[in-house]
Amino acid sequence: MDFAFDARTEELRGRLLAFMDAYVYPAEKVADEQRARLASPWDTPAVVEDLKAEARRQGLWNLFLPDAEHGAGLTNLQYAPLAEITGRSPHLAPTALNCAAPDTGNMEVLAQFGTGEQRKRWLAPLLAGEIRSAFAMTEPEVASSDATNITTHIRRDGDAYVITGRKWYISGAMNPRCEVFIVMGKTDPEGPDIRRQQSMVLVPRDTPGVEVRRAMTVYGYEDHSHGGHAEVVFDHARVPVTNLVGEEGGGFAIAQARLGPGRIHHCMRLIGMAERAIELMCRRALDRTAFGKPLARQGVVQQWIADARVTVEQLRLLVLKTAWLMDTVGNKGAHTEIQAIKIATPRAVVDILDRAVQLHGAGGVSQDFPLAELWAAARTLRLADGPDEVHQRSLARRELKRYA
């Protein structure tokens, strides 16, 4: 990245790059080795806690949150190059900086929509990195790409809400430190406005009727960095009405507010993943010989590397434009660009990672290199936060309106 950002961003970039070199990259294999010795694969390796302590000591903490009262007070444009750097080690760096999903989105929801008591009970320990959380939206029995399909029922019963439903791929739920779920369900399933039927409630993990049933794998991987992806059943789980987030019927709007920043954060980190892939491709190409000459002198390999560099530069500029628009005209004003980066970035990065895997041969699909796990994470992001086709449909409709 050759162009300069403002002085504060450049200073943070320098410190974060040094932190990655000195602490994060050396900890990658250590974390794997420690996790293999843990009683549960969902427990946190000691080295991760060491990274968190060091990041906090260096002031590299809660960088994602633009609210200066709770976070670093950075704009989206300032945070973009920092999130990109963490994407080079997506299974360690975001957690080390307390900038990992789904906690980031949940903290944003609590900061923006939570009551004073909710922020005191849940936001404060999340900001301190003392607990983890989960966001329970996706369901196995409906097409969850359309959030209005959600069937989980949130029924008012006196001074309590009773939650009944089944969720899956609930990120973070396998982590023993996950202490609270933000659950989206329908409080008014027969309401005339399908976007006012949903609400969100805070459900402590130890609530009777909450069962974390099993871990869901992602292309065979158990995603330890997010605390796993779980199937969770809510069987008449009862919580006080004071656990409502925002207002009844406001769940759909809160979800959209939460997903906007989440989508751009994913795209920022994806660019970092692509940069790591390009670095590994170049090192491999210079290190290996085939058919009498280094791989770096094979025309097809040169083409892969050149195309990857061009693609990353294009994606970065589109993401930075989107970040700038979110800062200047708001998420609604940047709606088209948010959808554009969500369509373009995971798709292109999957292709770059696929070429990197190909260049590494058997090593590319092995546990000795990070490429296979990066590929699985990037491919999953073509589904997470809305599949490609949903964004394409919405973006095309907006484009067509200009000519109608």
Side-chain angles (χ1 to χ4, degrees):
M1 186 182 296
D2 296 326
F3 49 86
F5 290 88
D6 66 279
R8 186 182 182 200
T9 305
E10 288 293 352
E11 190 263 339
L12 285 170
R13 278 188 68 226
R15 285 163 49 197
L16 182 54
L17 287 168
F19 179 77
M20 296 287 289
D21 288 338
Y23 297 98
V24 175
Y25 299 134
E28 289 179 335
K29 288 190 180 298
V30 176
D32 290 339
E33 292 168 357
Q34 290 182 351
R35 185 172 283 110
R37 297 193 297 269
L38 293 172
S40 165
W42 309 109
D43 289 336
T44 303
V47 71
V48 175
E49 293 302 318
D50 294 340
L51 289 173
K52 289 167 63 176
E54 182 61 27
R56 195 163 190 178
R57 187 188 70 79
Q58 294 192 25
L60 300 170
W61 192 255
N62 291 336
L63 299 176
F64 73 97
L65 201 56
D67 182 347
E69 178 184 355
H70 301 300
L74 300 175
T75 65
N76 287 293
L77 188 58
Q78 290 175 312
Y79 180 56
L82 307 178
E84 176 184 325
I85 293 168
T86 67
R88 293 176 61 87
S89 184
H91 303 295
L92 270 188
T95 301
L97 275 59
N98 211 39
C99 294
D103 295 323
T104 48
N106 292 342
M107 285 188 269
E108 288 167 340
V109 165
L110 288 167
Q112 187 173 353
F113 301 101
T115 65
E117 179 58 32
Q118 289 170 354
R119 289 196 293 269
K120 179 180 178 181
R121 182 176 179 186
W122 302 116
L123 179 58
L126 281 168
L127 288 169
E130 297 168 353
I131 67 170
R132 301 296 299 266
S133 62
F135 184 68
M137 181 173 174
T138 304
E139 299 181 1
E141 289 152 351
V142 298
S144 295
S145 57
D146 179 358
T148 64
N149 284 337
I150 285 172
T151 60
T152 293
H153 193 203
I154 302 175
R155 177 176 58 86
R156 177 76 181 259
D157 181 23
D159 61 356
Y161 285 113
V162 180
I163 302 100
T164 304
R166 179 173 166 234
K167 304 284 189 178
W168 75 340
Y169 281 94
I170 306 309
S171 302
M174 296 302 299
N175 191 312
R177 294 187 182 183
C178 175
E179 294 193 11
V180 65
F181 297 87
I182 298 181
V183 181
M184 184 166 171
K186 289 188 175 180
T187 45
D188 185 16
E190 304 301 325
D193 185 347
I194 61 173
R195 288 177 173 78
R196 292 285 302 172
Q197 296 176 351
Q198 305 86 2
S199 300
M200 290 189 187
V201 292
L202 291 159
V203 181
R205 184 194 186 100
D206 60 0
T207 301
V210 176
E211 178 191 359
V212 179
R213 182 164 288 181
R214 59 172 175 158
M216 307 300 303
T217 62
V218 178
Y219 287 103
Y221 285 103
E222 294 176 334
D223 191 348
H224 303 107
S225 61
H226 289 99
H229 304 282
E231 178 185 356
V232 184
V233 174
F234 299 90
D235 184 8
H236 297 87
R238 179 181 290 265
V239 298
V241 294
T242 52
N243 283 25
L244 177 71
V245 180
E247 61 176 2
E248 277 198 15
F252 191 90
I254 294 173
Q256 294 306 305
R258 181 187 188 278
L259 289 171
R263 286 167 179 152
I264 193 170
H265 293 173
H266 282 316
C267 291
M268 293 166 179
R269 287 190 290 266
L270 278 163
I271 293 171
M273 292 163 64
E275 286 285 10
R276 182 107 186 248
I278 293 173
E279 176 186 329
L280 289 169
M281 287 172 73
C282 291
R283 294 186 185 281
R284 185 75 166 188
L286 291 166
D287 183 58
R288 293 299 175 100
T289 298
F291 304 105
K293 59 182 177 181
L295 291 178
R297 291 176 55 195
Q298 305 285 353
V300 67
V301 173
Q302 293 176 347
Q303 180 182 330
W304 289 349
I305 292 170
D307 286 348
R309 171 52 56 204
V310 171
T311 298
V312 165
E313 297 303 325
Q314 291 171 329
L315 292 173
R316 180 181 289 120
L317 288 174
L318 182 56
V319 170
L320 291 176
K321 177 194 176 185
T322 304
W324 171 74
L325 284 171
M326 291 172 70
D327 293 335
T328 55
V329 298
N331 294 357
K332 188 174 182 180
H335 190 254
T336 294
E337 285 74 15
I338 291 173
Q339 290 181 316
I341 62 172
K342 185 59 176 65
I343 295 165
T345 313
R347 187 163 56 189
V349 173
V350 165
D351 185 61
I352 291 171
L353 285 163
D354 192 64
R355 299 290 174 82
V357 168
Q358 194 75 5
L359 184 57
H360 282 72
V365 298
S366 76
Q367 69 271 39
D368 291 347
F369 295 89
L371 292 167
E373 196 166 6
L374 291 176
W375 185 94
R379 181 60 183 85
T380 303
L381 286 174
R382 293 188 62 188
L383 295 169
D385 292 348
D388 293 358
E389 294 75 16
V390 169
H391 295 294
Q392 288 171 315
R393 173 177 177 266
S394 179
L395 195 153
R397 284 181 170 183
R398 294 170 70 91
E399 193 71 12
L400 287 165
K401 279 183 181 179
R402 298 168 56 193
Y403 303 95

